[in-house]
Amino acid sequence: MPNRRQFVIGSAAAAVATVSGGAALVSSSRGPSTSHPRASRRPGTGGPVATGVPRATSTNLTKFADSLRIPPVLIPGASLTIRQKAASVLLHSQLPPTPVWTYEGSFPGPTIEVSTEQRLKVAWLNEIGGAFPVTGIQVPFTDLDSILSPGRGSATRDASVAALPAWTVVHVHGAVTGGNNDGWTENGVSPGDAQLSEYPNGQRATGLWYHDHAMNITAFNVFAGLAGSLLVRDEEEAALNLPSGAYEIPLLINDRNLDTDDAGVPTGRLLHRIGYLDTGTASSPTRLNLPFIGPYNLVNGVIWPYLEVAPRWYRFRVLNGANTRPYTLRLQVENADGTTTPVTGALVQIGSDQGLLPSPVTLDAVTLAPAERADILIDFDAFRGKRLQLVNTNSNGPSPLGPEVMQFRVGATAVTDPFSLPATTSPSFVRLTRSAIPAGHTSRWIAFGTSDGTPLGHPEMWELSETASGYQAQDGDRLVRVTDQGGTLRTFRKEAAAFDDKVGFFVESSGWEVWNFLHLVGPGHPMHVHLLGFQALNRDVYTVSSATGPGTDVVTWTAGYDRVGALGDEEKGWKDTIRIEEHELVSVAGQFTGATGRFVYHCHILEHEDEGMMRPFVVAPREILDRMPHSAHHH
């Protein structure tokens, strides 16, 4: 059986856009102007070139053989049509072309740039044709190699994956927009139809991303290629004169596996290889499917790329776009003897998921769970003429092919660089504290458990409600008793877990809320709340135990405060996704403003999301909530 850490992993060419008003090439490297009467586009660059390169005869590909692909940039006017379409791309120069699903033929999709308060209407047009471009297989989990091995081996293709239709829903992750524009997971669009959405972009400068969110198949559609970046600009960001144009580069990092033929030679086709554990009994068999994690690291759709950089400051908009894999990214310098030496203090983080940090944070490494973003500055001047590797040092499921993610090749000749690192990056930033949150705020509790209460059960997400004094347990109850740092004991009852259970969270459209995420058992989870930009208040560690009874099929969990956990400075900014690890209680706070409707919150391990770790909630004005029946539990 897997150990705890292994189980966390296991279970754990230019775009051609149809644009309102026509298109023209971008003439300025500073990004969008304050008005956009017409749309502009800048072609993408880089990526593998297959000319004269011998095809791979095994799953061992040459590292750092291909230049980084830079997605095209779209600077739209008031409206934009983005086509979803099938395409073929090179992931590596030693591979045959790989079929993928894309936005505008680009893998990843074009980087969309808008100004704050610039209202944008997008028609996401589904023009995808042909069969699903990913081979799916399941293999019995015996150890990490069983799920991380490159290639298909002798496994049989999963016919249900091959039969998946091009049914898509686009969600702009982190966008403040109404529920009818958010990309409701069940509102799928088939080929020939379009999803019409409007984004007010009334939010601070930040790096968002758009990706597919179709119900029960998000993991497959994103895996097939449906993801891209969206950058919001504002005056505060512009005043910093940050590296821009060719010196501001999106890095969408993820992992993949490759299908192989009967001889073990890569076909170029993507492979969704997941393990499973049969954990039930002979009379009640159950199967636990483990989320995808792969051996090949990709950046902007290229396996182990390199980037030539000048010895100056660069800005990287880093996104963990993986289905499951967490990345702890750090730099190491290549030595003449073939060894590498870790670099300290070279990563300067100036922003997180939802905007700029108050001041730069100097780091040796940056950890990102799936869907988390980091706005990173690197000064390459100290590494003139050297080569640096960006590597993943996260211990969760290390790749058998090595930790390398990409390589930087630094020029040897000094250049003039007008940028200097400011002491303050966001003068407007205000750090939230519990005392500053309005007294009338709503506090919500969500727990993570497993179906059978063991670490190897199916992961579940439970909405909790506090029980009244003297509550008598009912058959089937799951009770959670929490003793906080001050010694106060509170008892909660599981109210809902499945997506289709009745809605339990009704949110006032301008209300302040504190969401408390408590980990009881099972793998860690990166939690994303749609619509809400929040700040983490605390990350505390609890001791957790469980016991059966009283009553039939009643399980009571006991969680007692143990110690303060680690909440890094880089996690204290505005976010929309937060990591919840084993036996942690993480509390986040924010205000719901500017939009109403039905939204979801969920684990951003995509296979967990698809298999039930997603719940709806409703945002409405207080006057509407007051007219809803008492059973809505909105008080």
Side-chain angles (χ1 to χ4, degrees), residues 80 101 207 301 338 624 632:
L80 181 67
W101 285 354
I624 305 302

Side-chain angles (χ1 to χ4, degrees), residues 440-442 444 503-513 592 595-599 617-635:
H441 72 269
T442 298
R444 305 192 188 275
V503 177
F505 289 177
F506 287 79
V507 176
E508 183 179 354
S509 57
S510 60
W512 280 89
E513 302 228 357
F592 285 86
T596 60
R598 181 170 286 217
F599 301 87
F617 65 94
V618 172
V619 182
R622 167 51 55 190
E623 295 81 1
I624 305 302
L625 296 180
D626 287 340
R627 289 177 172 269
M628 290 183 176
H630 180 69
S631 60
H633 298 295
H634 62 266
H635 293 296

Side-chain angles (χ1 to χ4, degrees), residues 161-486:
V161 173
L164 289 175
W167 189 70
T168 66
V169 179
V170 182
H171 167 57
V172 177
H173 181 118
V176 176
T177 191
N180 58 322
N181 300 305
D182 189 56
W184 180 253
T185 185
E186 294 173 306
N187 288 346
V189 171
S190 296
D193 205 351
Q195 171 190 334
L196 307 179
S197 297
E198 187 170 19
Y199 307 101
N201 296 310
Q203 52 198 113
R204 63 186 68 83
T206 189
L208 309 178
W209 65 302
Y210 58 96
H211 62 82
D212 193 80
H213 212 290
M215 187 72 182
N216 298 126
I217 57 170
T218 294
F220 291 106
N221 284 358
V222 173
F223 193 89
L226 292 175
S229 296
L230 187 149
L231 305 179
V232 181
R233 310 286 195 186
D234 70 6
E235 301 266 337
E236 186 174 72
E237 176 199 40
L240 298 174
N241 293 312
L242 295 165
S244 61
Y247 307 110
E248 180 185 20
I249 299 173
L251 300 180
L252 193 161
I253 301 173
N254 52 34
D255 57 342
R256 295 291 185 265
N257 207 328
L258 298 172
D259 198 5
T260 48
D261 61 20
D262 292 341
V265 177
T267 64
R269 189 175 174 86
L270 293 172
L271 178 70
H272 189 266
R273 177 191 184 113
I274 63 170
Y276 64 84
L277 286 166
D278 289 325
T279 59
T281 63
S283 60
S284 179
T286 57
R287 173 164 290 186
L288 173 65
N289 290 323
L290 307 179
F292 172 85
I293 188 167
Y296 297 97
N297 289 318
L298 284 70
V299 186
N300 293 353
V302 181
I303 298 173
W304 302 314
Y306 69 85
L307 177 66
E308 294 183 349
V309 296
R312 54 155 293 157
W313 285 96
Y314 279 72
R315 183 184 187 186
F316 296 102
R317 313 302 292 266
V318 186
L319 158 66
N320 182 349
N323 283 36
T324 302
R325 184 189 290 280
Y327 282 89
T328 298
L329 302 169
R330 70 173 303 154
L331 289 171
Q332 56 187 26
V333 63
E334 296 181 3
N335 302 317
D337 61 1
T339 62
T340 58
T341 302
V343 176
T344 60
L347 304 176
V348 181
Q349 185 167 344
I350 61 169
S352 52
D353 301 341
Q354 282 283 316
L356 294 168
L357 295 171
S359 57
V361 178
T362 300
L363 301 166
D364 296 334
V366 174
T367 296
L368 297 175
E372 285 190 300
R373 286 94 67 204
D375 196 344
I376 299 292
L377 299 177
I378 300 176
D379 184 4
F380 290 104
D381 186 56
F383 308 101
R384 292 183 201 171
K386 297 183 180 296
R387 295 189 175 188
L388 300 171
Q389 295 177 8
L390 188 67
V391 298
N392 179 27
T393 61
N394 199 294
S395 59
N396 283 346
S399 170
L401 301 180
E404 295 86 356
V405 175
M406 67 176 294
Q407 181 192 62
F408 296 104
R409 299 178 180 179
V410 187
T413 304
V415 299
T416 301
D417 185 0
F419 176 72
S420 60
L421 185 65
T424 300
T425 42
S426 178
S428 66
F429 181 90
V430 176
R431 174 68 178 149
L432 291 182
T433 61
R434 288 189 179 274
S435 61
I437 300 170
H441 72 269
T442 298
S443 182
R444 305 192 188 275
W445 286 78
I446 300 99
F448 306 112
T450 59
S451 56
D452 61 5
T454 72
L456 295 179
H458 181 77
E460 293 182 347
M461 183 176 71
W462 304 340
E463 285 182 6
L464 304 178
S465 66
E466 190 164 7
T467 61
S469 177
Y471 174 79
Q472 298 297 311
Q474 307 297 308
D475 288 351
D477 267 357
R478 295 296 181 266
L479 303 177
V480 182
R481 294 164 55 86
V482 182
T483 302
D484 65 18
Q485 185 175 7

